[in-house]
Amino acid sequence: MKRLSIIIFVFGVISFASCHYEKPGFYEGRDYIQFYYSGNLLHKDSNEVKTSPVNYPYISSTRLRDTAWFRLKAVGTPSSRERQVRFEQYTNEADKNYIEAVPGVNYVAFDDPEIQKYMVIPADSVHMNIPVVILYDTGTRGSVALNFKLVSTDDFELGMPTLLKGRCMYSNY
């Protein structure tokens, strides 16, 4: 019986000594930026993800400007300083029935100082709502489409290819 107790004790000590706790590793790659993905924004019959503004802008001759907010997500290690993001307009060939937005006429240009101060991810943050300010133009009549995409900066690489494009469509009557 004494021998069995010694064997069980030795087996227990060996089992206990062989256990160790592994800590998860930390992300060590470059930081990247993409639009925040919401599960209901997937196109039917496609793997392409669409972005949706936090609110839907409305302009008219009595409301000359409005703002649509797009949520961005920084992936990587949070930084103790502000990090710059950039949008760039592009042409979507599928929008032939829409008027293509003109910077300074149908929306405040992305490089305008009014917007540039908002084009940052704040220090110690990984999410941010970025404004897209649309403008009423008396010379434009119809449905307007503003297609834009994220552009890499010194602070961020680009994230998932399906989460890099934003779109804002509105009526200008």
Side-chain angles (χ1 to χ4, degrees):
M1 187 67 166
K2 188 175 179 184
R3 182 178 256 169
L4 181 60
S5 297
I6 292 173
I7 291 173
I8 291 174
F9 176 74
V10 170
F11 180 73
V13 169
I14 291 172
S15 297
F16 182 74
S18 67
C19 295
H20 67 280
Y21 178 73
E22 273 193 46
K23 295 180 182 178
F26 292 99
Y27 179 75
E28 294 178 3
R30 284 265 298 148
D31 297 336
Y32 59 94
I33 190 81
Q34 61 192 29
F35 284 100
Y36 182 76
Y37 170 69
S38 176
N40 61 350
L41 296 178
L42 207 59
H43 284 293
K44 250 186 176 173
D45 305 325
S46 170
N47 63 353
E48 184 178 328
V49 178
K50 62 180 179 173
T51 58
S52 178
V54 176
N55 59 1
Y56 296 93
Y58 169 76
I59 57 170
S60 68
S61 58
T62 58
R63 185 177 179 146
L64 301 178
R65 56 191 284 153
D66 199 359
T67 304
W69 296 88
F70 288 82
R71 189 150 180 87
L72 295 182
K73 177 181 183 178
V75 180
T77 308
S79 176
S80 59
R81 64 176 180 80
E82 286 187 342
R83 295 178 288 174
Q84 194 72 31
V85 296
R86 254 185 44 209
F87 288 164
E88 183 179 275
Q89 184 179 8
Y90 73 95
T91 301
N92 185 345
E93 298 300 324
D95 287 341
K96 293 185 190 241
N97 296 331
Y98 293 89
I99 299 165
E100 186 173 345
V102 177
V105 176
N106 301 113
Y107 71 97
V108 177
F110 298 128
D111 57 357
D112 189 288
E114 177 186 353
I115 296 298
Q116 278 294 277
K117 62 184 174 185
Y118 298 107
M119 301 289 285
V120 294
I121 302 291
D124 300 320
S125 294
V126 292
H127 290 99
M128 182 62 188
N129 289 332
I130 304 289
V132 174
V133 179
I134 60 169
L135 307 171
Y136 177 76
D137 175 46
T138 56
T140 305
R141 291 283 179 237
S143 297
V144 179
L146 170 58
N147 295 291
F148 54 95
K149 61 184 175 181
L150 284 161
V151 180
S152 63
T153 64
D154 292 338
D155 297 318
F156 291 109
E157 298 283 328
L158 297 178
M160 289 178 55
T162 56
L163 296 174
L164 299 180
K165 294 179 180 177
R167 184 177 201 187
C168 190
M169 298 172 67
Y170 58 94
S171 296
N172 193 81
Y173 288 102

PDB file of all heavy atoms in Angstrom, residues 106-133:
ATOM      1  N   ASN A 106     -20.914  68.920 -54.961  1.00  0.00           N
ATOM      2  CA  ASN A 106     -21.887  67.985 -54.376  1.00  0.00           C
ATOM      3  C   ASN A 106     -21.464  67.465 -53.011  1.00  0.00           C
ATOM      4  O   ASN A 106     -22.270  66.885 -52.300  1.00  0.00           O
ATOM      5  CB  ASN A 106     -22.111  66.798 -55.314  1.00  0.00           C
ATOM      6  CG  ASN A 106     -22.624  67.224 -56.666  1.00  0.00           C
ATOM      7  OD1 ASN A 106     -21.935  67.081 -57.660  1.00  0.00           O
ATOM      8  ND2 ASN A 106     -23.819  67.783 -56.709  1.00  0.00           N
ATOM      9  N   TYR A 107     -20.208  67.636 -52.662  1.00  0.00           N
ATOM     10  CA  TYR A 107     -19.725  67.238 -51.337  1.00  0.00           C
ATOM     11  C   TYR A 107     -18.462  68.022 -51.008  1.00  0.00           C
ATOM     12  O   TYR A 107     -17.796  68.546 -51.897  1.00  0.00           O
ATOM     13  CB  TYR A 107     -19.473  65.727 -51.266  1.00  0.00           C
ATOM     14  CG  TYR A 107     -18.273  65.229 -52.037  1.00  0.00           C
ATOM     15  CD1 TYR A 107     -17.055  65.010 -51.396  1.00  0.00           C
ATOM     16  CD2 TYR A 107     -18.334  64.979 -53.401  1.00  0.00           C
ATOM     17  CE1 TYR A 107     -15.954  64.547 -52.093  1.00  0.00           C
ATOM     18  CE2 TYR A 107     -17.235  64.526 -54.103  1.00  0.00           C
ATOM     19  CZ  TYR A 107     -16.046  64.310 -53.445  1.00  0.00           C
ATOM     20  OH  TYR A 107     -14.954  63.857 -54.131  1.00  0.00           O
ATOM     21  N   VAL A 108     -18.170  68.130 -49.728  1.00  0.00           N
ATOM     22  CA  VAL A 108     -16.944  68.792 -49.300  1.00  0.00           C
ATOM     23  C   VAL A 108     -15.796  67.831 -49.596  1.00  0.00           C
ATOM     24  O   VAL A 108     -15.817  66.682 -49.152  1.00  0.00           O
ATOM     25  CB  VAL A 108     -16.990  69.158 -47.802  1.00  0.00           C
ATOM     26  CG1 VAL A 108     -15.672  69.772 -47.367  1.00  0.00           C
ATOM     27  CG2 VAL A 108     -18.143  70.100 -47.511  1.00  0.00           C
ATOM     28  N   ALA A 109     -14.826  68.303 -50.369  1.00  0.00           N
ATOM     29  CA  ALA A 109     -13.724  67.446 -50.811  1.00  0.00           C
ATOM     30  C   ALA A 109     -12.991  66.838 -49.620  1.00  0.00           C
ATOM     31  O   ALA A 109     -12.891  67.447 -48.555  1.00  0.00           O
ATOM     32  CB  ALA A 109     -12.750  68.261 -51.658  1.00  0.00           C
ATOM     33  N   PHE A 110     -12.489  65.632 -49.806  1.00  0.00           N
ATOM     34  CA  PHE A 110     -11.822  64.903 -48.728  1.00  0.00           C
ATOM     35  C   PHE A 110     -10.506  65.556 -48.297  1.00  0.00           C
ATOM     36  O   PHE A 110     -10.050  65.332 -47.189  1.00  0.00           O
ATOM     37  CB  PHE A 110     -11.586  63.450 -49.123  1.00  0.00           C
ATOM     38  CG  PHE A 110     -12.857  62.703 -49.384  1.00  0.00           C
ATOM     39  CD1 PHE A 110     -13.031  61.992 -50.555  1.00  0.00           C
ATOM     40  CD2 PHE A 110     -13.886  62.707 -48.454  1.00  0.00           C
ATOM     41  CE1 PHE A 110     -14.208  61.297 -50.796  1.00  0.00           C
ATOM     42  CE2 PHE A 110     -15.064  62.016 -48.683  1.00  0.00           C
ATOM     43  CZ  PHE A 110     -15.228  61.310 -49.854  1.00  0.00           C
ATOM     44  N   ASP A 111      -9.899  66.367 -49.171  1.00  0.00           N
ATOM     45  CA  ASP A 111      -8.657  67.044 -48.788  1.00  0.00           C
ATOM     46  C   ASP A 111      -8.896  68.467 -48.286  1.00  0.00           C
ATOM     47  O   ASP A 111      -7.957  69.202 -48.013  1.00  0.00           O
ATOM     48  CB  ASP A 111      -7.657  67.040 -49.946  1.00  0.00           C
ATOM     49  CG  ASP A 111      -8.212  67.693 -51.206  1.00  0.00           C
ATOM     50  OD1 ASP A 111      -9.396  68.112 -51.215  1.00  0.00           O
ATOM     51  OD2 ASP A 111      -7.465  67.786 -52.197  1.00  0.00           O
ATOM     52  N   ASP A 112     -10.160  68.858 -48.142  1.00  0.00           N
ATOM     53  CA  ASP A 112     -10.512  70.174 -47.619  1.00  0.00           C
ATOM     54  C   ASP A 112     -10.160  70.240 -46.126  1.00  0.00           C
ATOM     55  O   ASP A 112     -10.402  69.283 -45.386  1.00  0.00           O
ATOM     56  CB  ASP A 112     -12.024  70.389 -47.811  1.00  0.00           C
ATOM     57  CG  ASP A 112     -12.445  71.799 -47.501  1.00  0.00           C
ATOM     58  OD1 ASP A 112     -12.442  72.157 -46.304  1.00  0.00           O
ATOM     59  OD2 ASP A 112     -12.783  72.540 -48.444  1.00  0.00           O
ATOM     60  N   PRO A 113      -9.589  71.362 -45.654  1.00  0.00           N
ATOM     61  CA  PRO A 113      -9.232  71.483 -44.230  1.00  0.00           C
ATOM     62  C   PRO A 113     -10.413  71.271 -43.280  1.00  0.00           C
ATOM     63  O   PRO A 113     -10.232  70.794 -42.153  1.00  0.00           O
ATOM     64  CB  PRO A 113      -8.692  72.915 -44.115  1.00  0.00           C
ATOM     65  CG  PRO A 113      -8.250  73.274 -45.492  1.00  0.00           C
ATOM     66  CD  PRO A 113      -9.154  72.516 -46.425  1.00  0.00           C
ATOM     67  N   GLU A 114     -11.628  71.585 -43.738  1.00  0.00           N
ATOM     68  CA  GLU A 114     -12.822  71.368 -42.913  1.00  0.00           C
ATOM     69  C   GLU A 114     -13.005  69.886 -42.572  1.00  0.00           C
ATOM     70  O   GLU A 114     -13.401  69.532 -41.471  1.00  0.00           O
ATOM     71  CB  GLU A 114     -14.063  71.882 -43.652  1.00  0.00           C
ATOM     72  CG  GLU A 114     -15.357  71.642 -42.918  1.00  0.00           C
ATOM     73  CD  GLU A 114     -16.589  72.020 -43.733  1.00  0.00           C
ATOM     74  OE1 GLU A 114     -16.458  72.603 -44.836  1.00  0.00           O
ATOM     75  OE2 GLU A 114     -17.707  71.723 -43.258  1.00  0.00           O
ATOM     76  N   ILE A 115     -12.686  69.017 -43.503  1.00  0.00           N
ATOM     77  CA  ILE A 115     -12.848  67.574 -43.311  1.00  0.00           C
ATOM     78  C   ILE A 115     -11.571  66.936 -42.769  1.00  0.00           C
ATOM     79  O   ILE A 115     -11.625  65.988 -41.982  1.00  0.00           O
ATOM     80  CB  ILE A 115     -13.250  66.904 -44.652  1.00  0.00           C
ATOM     81  CG1 ILE A 115     -14.609  67.423 -45.106  1.00  0.00           C
ATOM     82  CG2 ILE A 115     -13.269  65.396 -44.537  1.00  0.00           C
ATOM     83  CD1 ILE A 115     -15.748  67.123 -44.160  1.00  0.00           C
ATOM     84  N   GLN A 116     -10.414  67.438 -43.160  1.00  0.00           N
ATOM     85  CA  GLN A 116      -9.143  66.824 -42.770  1.00  0.00           C
ATOM     86  C   GLN A 116      -8.986  66.684 -41.260  1.00  0.00           C
ATOM     87  O   GLN A 116      -8.413  65.707 -40.790  1.00  0.00           O
ATOM     88  CB  GLN A 116      -7.969  67.634 -43.332  1.00  0.00           C
ATOM     89  CG  GLN A 116      -7.657  67.314 -44.774  1.00  0.00           C
ATOM     90  CD  GLN A 116      -7.164  65.896 -44.921  1.00  0.00           C
ATOM     91  OE1 GLN A 116      -6.005  65.629 -44.724  1.00  0.00           O
ATOM     92  NE2 GLN A 116      -8.030  64.980 -45.280  1.00  0.00           N
ATOM     93  N   LYS A 117      -9.525  67.612 -40.504  1.00  0.00           N
ATOM     94  CA  LYS A 117      -9.379  67.521 -39.041  1.00  0.00           C
ATOM     95  C   LYS A 117     -10.154  66.349 -38.454  1.00  0.00           C
ATOM     96  O   LYS A 117      -9.881  65.923 -37.341  1.00  0.00           O
ATOM     97  CB  LYS A 117      -9.785  68.837 -38.372  1.00  0.00           C
ATOM     98  CG  LYS A 117     -11.227  69.231 -38.584  1.00  0.00           C
ATOM     99  CD  LYS A 117     -11.505  70.592 -37.975  1.00  0.00           C
ATOM    100  CE  LYS A 117     -12.906  71.044 -38.330  1.00  0.00           C
ATOM    101  NZ  LYS A 117     -13.162  72.393 -37.868  1.00  0.00           N
ATOM    102  N   TYR A 118     -11.112  65.791 -39.209  1.00  0.00           N
ATOM    103  CA  TYR A 118     -11.885  64.635 -38.746  1.00  0.00           C
ATOM    104  C   TYR A 118     -11.359  63.311 -39.289  1.00  0.00           C
ATOM    105  O   TYR A 118     -11.827  62.252 -38.893  1.00  0.00           O
ATOM    106  CB  TYR A 118     -13.359  64.773 -39.148  1.00  0.00           C
ATOM    107  CG  TYR A 118     -14.031  65.967 -38.543  1.00  0.00           C
ATOM    108  CD1 TYR A 118     -14.338  67.075 -39.310  1.00  0.00           C
ATOM    109  CD2 TYR A 118     -14.348  65.987 -37.189  1.00  0.00           C
ATOM    110  CE1 TYR A 118     -14.954  68.180 -38.754  1.00  0.00           C
ATOM    111  CE2 TYR A 118     -14.957  67.080 -36.621  1.00  0.00           C
ATOM    112  CZ  TYR A 118     -15.259  68.177 -37.410  1.00  0.00           C
ATOM    113  OH  TYR A 118     -15.863  69.269 -36.842  1.00  0.00           O
ATOM    114  N   MET A 119     -10.408  63.376 -40.202  1.00  0.00           N
ATOM    115  CA  MET A 119      -9.900  62.176 -40.859  1.00  0.00           C
ATOM    116  C   MET A 119      -8.771  61.545 -40.043  1.00  0.00           C
ATOM    117  O   MET A 119      -7.684  61.285 -40.558  1.00  0.00           O
ATOM    118  CB  MET A 119      -9.425  62.505 -42.280  1.00  0.00           C
ATOM    119  CG  MET A 119     -10.492  63.094 -43.187  1.00  0.00           C
ATOM    120  SD  MET A 119     -11.736  61.918 -43.684  1.00  0.00           S
ATOM    121  CE  MET A 119     -10.875  60.972 -44.883  1.00  0.00           C
ATOM    122  N   VAL A 120      -9.036  61.287 -38.776  1.00  0.00           N
ATOM    123  CA  VAL A 120      -8.041  60.693 -37.885  1.00  0.00           C
ATOM    124  C   VAL A 120      -8.695  59.652 -36.992  1.00  0.00           C
ATOM    125  O   VAL A 120      -9.879  59.736 -36.675  1.00  0.00           O
ATOM    126  CB  VAL A 120      -7.351  61.751 -36.990  1.00  0.00           C
ATOM    127  CG1 VAL A 120      -6.521  62.711 -37.808  1.00  0.00           C
ATOM    128  CG2 VAL A 120      -8.339  62.476 -36.132  1.00  0.00           C
ATOM    129  N   ILE A 121      -7.919  58.660 -36.627  1.00  0.00           N
ATOM    130  CA  ILE A 121      -8.301  57.728 -35.575  1.00  0.00           C
ATOM    131  C   ILE A 121      -7.655  58.292 -34.311  1.00  0.00           C
ATOM    132  O   ILE A 121      -6.434  58.445 -34.253  1.00  0.00           O
ATOM    133  CB  ILE A 121      -7.784  56.302 -35.858  1.00  0.00           C
ATOM    134  CG1 ILE A 121      -8.316  55.777 -37.192  1.00  0.00           C
ATOM    135  CG2 ILE A 121      -8.137  55.368 -34.703  1.00  0.00           C
ATOM    136  CD1 ILE A 121      -9.786  55.491 -37.228  1.00  0.00           C
ATOM    137  N   PRO A 122      -8.443  58.648 -33.292  1.00  0.00           N
ATOM    138  CA  PRO A 122      -7.867  59.251 -32.087  1.00  0.00           C
ATOM    139  C   PRO A 122      -6.900  58.308 -31.370  1.00  0.00           C
ATOM    140  O   PRO A 122      -6.932  57.097 -31.558  1.00  0.00           O
ATOM    141  CB  PRO A 122      -9.087  59.523 -31.199  1.00  0.00           C
ATOM    142  CG  PRO A 122     -10.259  59.465 -32.105  1.00  0.00           C
ATOM    143  CD  PRO A 122      -9.890  58.547 -33.226  1.00  0.00           C
ATOM    144  N   ALA A 123      -6.067  58.890 -30.538  1.00  0.00           N
ATOM    145  CA  ALA A 123      -5.114  58.112 -29.746  1.00  0.00           C
ATOM    146  C   ALA A 123      -5.866  57.097 -28.890  1.00  0.00           C
ATOM    147  O   ALA A 123      -6.957  57.378 -28.396  1.00  0.00           O
ATOM    148  CB  ALA A 123      -4.296  59.050 -28.860  1.00  0.00           C
ATOM    149  N   ASP A 124      -5.288  55.913 -28.753  1.00  0.00           N
ATOM    150  CA  ASP A 124      -5.839  54.827 -27.935  1.00  0.00           C
ATOM    151  C   ASP A 124      -7.222  54.368 -28.389  1.00  0.00           C
ATOM    152  O   ASP A 124      -8.008  53.861 -27.591  1.00  0.00           O
ATOM    153  CB  ASP A 124      -5.879  55.226 -26.453  1.00  0.00           C
ATOM    154  CG  ASP A 124      -4.493  55.535 -25.928  1.00  0.00           C
ATOM    155  OD1 ASP A 124      -3.549  54.815 -26.304  1.00  0.00           O
ATOM    156  OD2 ASP A 124      -4.349  56.498 -25.147  1.00  0.00           O
ATOM    157  N   SER A 125      -7.551  54.546 -29.662  1.00  0.00           N
ATOM    158  CA  SER A 125      -8.846  54.120 -30.204  1.00  0.00           C
ATOM    159  C   SER A 125      -8.634  53.186 -31.387  1.00  0.00           C
ATOM    160  O   SER A 125      -7.607  53.236 -32.055  1.00  0.00           O
ATOM    161  CB  SER A 125      -9.660  55.324 -30.683  1.00  0.00           C
ATOM    162  OG  SER A 125     -10.013  56.138 -29.616  1.00  0.00           O
ATOM    163  N   VAL A 126      -9.636  52.374 -31.658  1.00  0.00           N
ATOM    164  CA  VAL A 126      -9.603  51.513 -32.838  1.00  0.00           C
ATOM    165  C   VAL A 126     -10.830  51.706 -33.711  1.00  0.00           C
ATOM    166  O   VAL A 126     -10.927  51.097 -34.769  1.00  0.00           O
ATOM    167  CB  VAL A 126      -9.456  50.013 -32.448  1.00  0.00           C
ATOM    168  CG1 VAL A 126      -8.096  49.755 -31.846  1.00  0.00           C
ATOM    169  CG2 VAL A 126     -10.559  49.567 -31.535  1.00  0.00           C
ATOM    170  N   HIS A 127     -11.772  52.547 -33.284  1.00  0.00           N
ATOM    171  CA  HIS A 127     -12.962  52.863 -34.075  1.00  0.00           C
ATOM    172  C   HIS A 127     -13.112  54.370 -34.186  1.00  0.00           C
ATOM    173  O   HIS A 127     -12.750  55.101 -33.277  1.00  0.00           O
ATOM    174  CB  HIS A 127     -14.233  52.311 -33.424  1.00  0.00           C
ATOM    175  CG  HIS A 127     -14.342  50.843 -33.469  1.00  0.00           C
ATOM    176  ND1 HIS A 127     -14.003  50.050 -32.410  1.00  0.00           N
ATOM    177  CD2 HIS A 127     -14.734  50.006 -34.456  1.00  0.00           C
ATOM    178  CE1 HIS A 127     -14.202  48.788 -32.725  1.00  0.00           C
ATOM    179  NE2 HIS A 127     -14.633  48.726 -33.971  1.00  0.00           N
ATOM    180  N   MET A 128     -13.716  54.805 -35.285  1.00  0.00           N
ATOM    181  CA  MET A 128     -13.983  56.223 -35.456  1.00  0.00           C
ATOM    182  C   MET A 128     -15.032  56.400 -36.525  1.00  0.00           C
ATOM    183  O   MET A 128     -15.049  55.664 -37.513  1.00  0.00           O
ATOM    184  CB  MET A 128     -12.687  56.954 -35.872  1.00  0.00           C
ATOM    185  CG  MET A 128     -12.838  58.428 -36.033  1.00  0.00           C
ATOM    186  SD  MET A 128     -13.306  59.145 -34.454  1.00  0.00           S
ATOM    187  CE  MET A 128     -13.654  60.801 -34.928  1.00  0.00           C
ATOM    188  N   ASN A 129     -15.923  57.360 -36.321  1.00  0.00           N
ATOM    189  CA  ASN A 129     -16.888  57.731 -37.345  1.00  0.00           C
ATOM    190  C   ASN A 129     -16.310  58.911 -38.115  1.00  0.00           C
ATOM    191  O   ASN A 129     -15.958  59.935 -37.537  1.00  0.00           O
ATOM    192  CB  ASN A 129     -18.228  58.125 -36.723  1.00  0.00           C
ATOM    193  CG  ASN A 129     -18.952  56.935 -36.143  1.00  0.00           C
ATOM    194  OD1 ASN A 129     -18.776  55.816 -36.607  1.00  0.00           O
ATOM    195  ND2 ASN A 129     -19.756  57.164 -35.137  1.00  0.00           N
ATOM    196  N   ILE A 130     -16.223  58.760 -39.433  1.00  0.00           N
ATOM    197  CA  ILE A 130     -15.648  59.789 -40.296  1.00  0.00           C
ATOM    198  C   ILE A 130     -16.788  60.438 -41.091  1.00  0.00           C
ATOM    199  O   ILE A 130     -17.608  59.733 -41.686  1.00  0.00           O
ATOM    200  CB  ILE A 130     -14.610  59.185 -41.268  1.00  0.00           C
ATOM    201  CG1 ILE A 130     -13.516  58.438 -40.492  1.00  0.00           C
ATOM    202  CG2 ILE A 130     -14.032  60.246 -42.179  1.00  0.00           C
ATOM    203  CD1 ILE A 130     -12.564  59.305 -39.725  1.00  0.00           C
ATOM    204  N   PRO A 131     -16.846  61.781 -41.130  1.00  0.00           N
ATOM    205  CA  PRO A 131     -17.948  62.448 -41.828  1.00  0.00           C
ATOM    206  C   PRO A 131     -17.721  62.564 -43.334  1.00  0.00           C
ATOM    207  O   PRO A 131     -16.602  62.754 -43.800  1.00  0.00           O
ATOM    208  CB  PRO A 131     -17.958  63.841 -41.189  1.00  0.00           C
ATOM    209  CG  PRO A 131     -16.532  64.085 -40.834  1.00  0.00           C
ATOM    210  CD  PRO A 131     -15.975  62.738 -40.443  1.00  0.00           C
ATOM    211  N   VAL A 132     -18.818  62.446 -44.063  1.00  0.00           N
ATOM    212  CA  VAL A 132     -18.844  62.787 -45.482  1.00  0.00           C
ATOM    213  C   VAL A 132     -19.946  63.834 -45.599  1.00  0.00           C
ATOM    214  O   VAL A 132     -21.124  63.538 -45.382  1.00  0.00           O
ATOM    215  CB  VAL A 132     -19.156  61.558 -46.362  1.00  0.00           C
ATOM    216  CG1 VAL A 132     -19.331  61.974 -47.808  1.00  0.00           C
ATOM    217  CG2 VAL A 132     -18.045  60.519 -46.237  1.00  0.00           C
ATOM    218  N   VAL A 133     -19.555  65.072 -45.890  1.00  0.00           N
ATOM    219  CA  VAL A 133     -20.498  66.190 -45.932  1.00  0.00           C
ATOM    220  C   VAL A 133     -20.964  66.390 -47.363  1.00  0.00           C
ATOM    221  O   VAL A 133     -20.159  66.667 -48.253  1.00  0.00           O
ATOM    222  CB  VAL A 133     -19.854  67.490 -45.384  1.00  0.00           C
ATOM    223  CG1 VAL A 133     -20.833  68.647 -45.457  1.00  0.00           C
ATOM    224  CG2 VAL A 133     -19.363  67.278 -43.962  1.00  0.00           C
TER     225      VAL A 133
END
